[in-house]
Amino acid sequence: MSRGAGAGVRESLEAPGSREKILDVAEALFARRGFAGVGLREVALAVGLGKSSLFHHFRSKVQLYLEVLGRVLGRIDERLRPALAAGGGPAERLMRSLDVLVDALAEHPTTARLLLRGLFEDDAFPADLGPEGDTVERRLASLICGIEALLREGIERGAFRRVSIPHMMQTLIGATVYHFASGEFGEGLIGGSLFSAEEVRRRKEELRAVLDHGLTA
Amino acid sequence: MSRGAGAGVRESLEAPGSREKILDVAEALFARRGFAGVGLREVALAVGLGKSSLFHHFRSKVQLYLEVLGRVLGRIDERLRPALAAGGGPAERLMRSLDVLVDALAEHPTTARLLLRGLFEDDAFPADLGPEGDTVERRLASLICGIEALLREGIERGAFRRVSIPHMMQTLIGATVYHFASGEFGEGLIGGSLFSAEEVRRRKEELRAVLDHGLTA
DNA sequence: GTCTATACTACGATAGAC
DNA sequence: GTCTATCGTAGTATAGAC
């Protein structure tokens, strides 16, 4: 309780809170250039602080990175969990959840990049990630397990074909997270922004079309 | 012709050729930690040279990176091009090409990672990439265009449903490149190596199953 | 809570001896 | 073709004044 994640309740309510601002700036930079590609000097400068002042808010660069990642996962978890839990058959719940996931990824262009980069950079860190690393892993596991359970239930109840659940998970992640993380390459393919309302709608349609003919029994 | 890509024919045939060795080592490192995460010192040490000796073979770190990327794209292009060109209907050619792509990605665990990282890191470089950058872009465009053309032909000839070609491209890339780039995360999902013969076969099956029910008319 | 100053290491790249 | 030495910059992180 002495330095838990919820510390500083009194000040964090209305204070301009460099902390949030730092996380915002760091999120944008880490999304664009990855963990190793961003220097704390750049983060500090962009947030209007001296380099050393960052260490008053975050113990290290790794901790800052993990908090950025945890916040992103939290934003998704927050929206996906109710979508997964709400009523309807497995197919209906899956489609609704994927729509919610797509909306969440489309809302901030940083989100998908950060997530996908997070998958790649986990071997650049020491094995032990501390409490912030645990938060990240817990939230990620929660997301994954929720969708896995939905697939499993759908298969058991005959709503889905008997696919390999892990492989279908990978296909779904590719079709959502990869798509919105593909940046300039994806925009070159599509011929415009990945994040316009129209293209987001189109992605949902594609996802639905592929799954309706490829997963639903 | 004075310093083209094919220079040094005489020596490169049998000489131990630090060049190839450097590319091998750099490929492994860039795949694991990305452009910014790798120092030339580390590359040099791993290949058994002093740091400065690298500059005798490559003008800069960016050039080294681009040559690594170009070589990977070349390996894929080399195998995918005949698969795309060989006979059969659009559906048959697409499935065969995806099998070949999966085999190419599965052969070296570095390949998919390098490709996916390449998509993310193109904004970390200056706009002008020089001749090596042109090679990379040309090979990438060749790959993409080949598959796009196949999809287009299949739709025109009624073999495929009238999907959005760019969105289907993204789905296919996600289902292949992302999958094999997903590293520890993917292995955690699958519960074992992504690159074992069995899991590679399973990925092909999944791909085929999804497409057979989601793309083929 | 932010600052200056500093420690120490590593970075990409160049010069020039051998 | 590899080496040592060096340049100038930037990296993470700490100490301590204000």
Side-chain angles (χ1 to χ4, degrees):
Chain A
M1 194 70 78
S2 58
R3 56 113 201 213
V9 173
R10 189 171 30 194
E11 295 176 353
S12 68
L13 281 182
E14 198 44 36
S18 308
R19 218 187 140 81
E20 289 290 312
K21 206 169 173 182
I22 295 171
L23 285 171
D24 288 341
V25 165
E27 179 174 326
L29 288 171
F30 283 139
R32 284 207 303 173
R33 290 205 289 282
F35 179 76
V38 173
L40 294 184
R41 178 179 172 270
E42 193 178 6
V43 176
L45 221 116
V47 76
L49 288 179
K51 188 172 54 161
S52 304
S53 303
L54 293 185
F55 291 94
H56 227 271
H57 302 277
F58 304 93
R59 290 194 310 277
S60 69
K61 186 187 181 184
V62 171
Q63 192 217 349
L64 171 60
Y65 181 75
L66 291 173
E67 285 206 31
V68 167
L69 220 58
R71 202 175 61 149
V72 166
L73 284 168
R75 283 202 304 252
I76 296 188
D77 208 21
E78 190 175 65
R79 301 171 63 160
L80 202 52
R81 195 188 296 267
L84 284 165
E92 187 185 340
R93 269 185 290 157
L94 179 62
M95 292 308 181
R96 182 179 54 222
S97 300
L98 288 175
D99 279 354
V100 165
L101 175 60
V102 166
D103 281 330
L105 294 174
E107 199 169 14
H108 296 109
T110 58
T111 307
R113 276 226 167 180
L114 226 29
L115 289 182
L116 213 45
R117 291 201 116 111
L119 297 188
F120 296 165
E121 310 193 296
D122 59 0
D123 60 59
F125 300 146
D128 179 23
L129 309 143
E132 293 83 9
D134 292 347
T135 299
V136 167
E137 296 211 350
R138 192 164 22 91
R139 286 188 173 155
L140 182 58
S142 155
L143 280 171
I144 298 301
C145 286
I147 302 178
E148 277 179 342
L150 181 48
L151 289 176
R152 202 173 307 116
E153 183 191 331
I155 291 175
E156 279 167 10
R157 290 170 55 178
F160 298 146
R161 292 176 37 247
R162 299 205 149 271
V163 298
S164 155
I165 290 177
H167 277 279
M168 180 54 68
M169 290 291 298
Q170 287 281 72
T171 300
L172 293 177
I173 294 169
T176 52
V177 181
Y178 157 73
H179 172 76
F180 285 105
S182 62
E184 287 182 18
F185 173 80
E187 307 208 326
L189 269 183
I190 300 285
S193 166
L194 302 175
F195 300 94
S196 72
E198 188 190 338
E199 285 303 333
V200 171
R201 185 184 49 74
R202 248 198 268 227
R203 179 96 293 241
K204 287 183 197 168
E205 273 178 17
E206 277 297 307
L207 208 43
R208 195 173 302 264
V210 169
L211 291 186
D212 271 347
H213 301 81
L215 178 61
T216 313
Chain B
M1 196 69 80
S2 58
R3 55 117 202 211
V9 175
R10 189 171 30 194
E11 294 176 355
S12 67
L13 281 182
E14 197 46 36
S18 309
R19 219 188 138 80
E20 289 289 313
K21 207 169 173 184
I22 295 171
L23 285 171
D24 289 340
V25 165
E27 179 175 327
L29 288 170
F30 283 139
R32 283 207 306 174
R33 289 204 292 282
F35 178 77
V38 173
L40 294 183
R41 178 178 171 271
E42 191 179 6
V43 175
L45 221 116
V47 76
L49 288 179
K51 186 173 57 160
S52 305
S53 303
L54 293 185
F55 291 93
H56 214 71
H57 302 277
F58 305 93
R59 290 194 310 278
S60 67
K61 186 187 181 184
V62 171
Q63 192 218 349
L64 170 59
Y65 181 74
L66 290 173
E67 285 207 31
V68 166
L69 220 56
R71 202 175 61 150
V72 165
L73 284 168
R75 282 202 304 251
I76 296 188
D77 208 22
E78 189 174 66
R79 300 169 64 159
L80 202 50
R81 193 188 296 268
L84 283 165
E92 187 184 340
R93 269 185 290 157
L94 179 62
M95 292 308 181
R96 181 181 53 224
S97 300
L98 288 175
D99 280 354
V100 165
L101 175 60
V102 166
D103 281 331
L105 295 174
E107 198 170 15
H108 297 109
T110 59
T111 307
R113 278 227 165 180
L114 226 29
L115 289 181
L116 213 45
R117 290 201 115 112
L119 297 189
F120 296 165
E121 310 193 296
D122 57 2
D123 60 59
F125 300 147
D128 179 23
L129 309 141
E132 294 83 10
D134 292 346
T135 299
V136 167
E137 296 210 351
R138 191 165 21 90
R139 286 188 173 155
L140 182 57
S142 155
L143 280 171
I144 298 302
C145 287
I147 302 177
E148 277 179 341
L150 182 48
L151 289 176
R152 201 173 308 118
E153 183 191 331
I155 291 175
E156 278 166 12
R157 289 169 55 176
F160 298 146
R161 291 175 38 247
R162 298 206 149 269
V163 297
S164 156
I165 290 176
H167 277 279
M168 181 53 68
M169 291 291 298
Q170 288 281 74
T171 301
L172 293 177
I173 295 169
T176 52
V177 182
Y178 157 73
H179 171 76
F180 285 105
S182 62
E184 287 182 17
F185 172 80
E187 306 207 326
L189 268 183
I190 300 286
S193 167
L194 302 175
F195 300 94
S196 71
E198 188 191 338
E199 285 302 334
V200 171
R201 185 185 50 72
R202 248 199 267 228
R203 178 97 291 242
K204 287 183 197 168
E205 274 178 17
E206 276 297 307
L207 209 42
R208 193 172 303 265
V210 168
L211 290 185
D212 271 345
H213 299 81
L215 178 62
T216 313

